Amino acid sequence: MSDSASTAWNQGPHAGPWNAGAHRRCGRSPRRGLEIVAIILGFIFAWPLALAYLVWKMCGYPKYDEAKAFFRDTVGRAAEDMFGSRRSTGGFAYASSGNAAFDDYRRSELERLEEERRKLDEEARAFRDFVEELKRAKDREEFDAFMAKRRGNGPTNV
């Protein structure tokens, strides 16, 4: 959307790109009935898209950068309040307590716990492999018994 069309939305009570002024888009007024029907059908078949369009429409058709800045300011602030103490470094991460000795102790304990978790994961993986090998051996025994019984009792159709 061009800058002139975007500014046309915010110029008075009857402003808009379809007004009789210089910022006229296509020569005829929009079909509001079709727009309303499209919104209703959107809510029936794809309600998240229809809701997003309705919010965009109610905000005055802002440009992408304006909408992005608005959501970054409002939603970003709420997300920072909720998840501000978490960092994206992975694992356990907390904000500093202000005491360097405690922070070092906590960091070393978390590293120790992370190493224990890795060891447990490796043991669980080894156990799963062991159980899978047992299942394969049992399946092989059952299959061999079936084939021996079949060859011994019935005629071979080879």
Side-chain angles (χ1 to χ4, degrees):
M1 186 182 286
S2 69
D3 289 334
S4 62
S6 178
T7 57
W9 284 105
N10 302 318
Q11 294 178 355
H14 302 291
W18 295 289
N19 64 355
H23 298 291
R24 195 168 193 153
R25 279 193 179 172
C26 62
R28 65 177 190 257
S29 62
R31 293 180 173 89
R32 298 286 179 197
L34 288 176
E35 183 180 25
I36 292 170
V37 169
I39 291 172
I40 291 171
L41 289 175
F43 272 105
I44 292 171
F45 294 110
W47 68 267
L49 294 176
L51 184 64
Y53 175 74
L54 199 58
V55 167
W56 179 66
K57 181 177 175 63
M58 298 301 281
C59 289
Y61 299 95
K63 289 192 286 186
Y64 175 75
D65 294 336
E66 296 168 353
K68 184 178 174 184
F70 172 76
F71 283 113
R72 182 180 57 240
D73 292 343
T74 57
V75 177
R77 190 176 311 127
E80 182 64 30
D81 290 344
M82 289 174 57
F83 308 112
S85 63
R86 297 180 188 172
R87 292 190 297 243
S88 62
T89 57
F92 299 102
Y94 297 95
S96 175
S97 66
N99 186 323
F102 178 73
D103 288 343
D104 290 340
Y105 167 75
R106 179 173 53 188
R107 189 175 310 110
S108 66
E109 286 297 309
L110 289 175
E111 288 172 0
R112 183 184 64 79
L113 289 172
E114 185 68 23
E115 182 62 31
E116 288 292 322
R117 187 190 61 77
R118 272 188 244 124
K119 286 180 185 177
L120 285 173
D121 287 345
E122 290 174 10
E123 289 177 5
R125 190 175 13 241
F127 182 71
R128 280 194 307 267
D129 293 342
F130 174 73
V131 169
E132 185 65 31
E133 189 60 35
L134 285 177
K135 287 179 183 178
R136 285 185 187 144
K138 182 179 177 188
D139 289 346
R140 174 55 65 182
E141 288 176 16
E142 290 174 353
F143 177 73
D144 289 343
F146 168 75
M147 291 303 289
K149 183 179 176 184
R150 184 172 180 212
R151 287 185 189 137
N153 291 340
T156 59
N157 296 333
V158 180

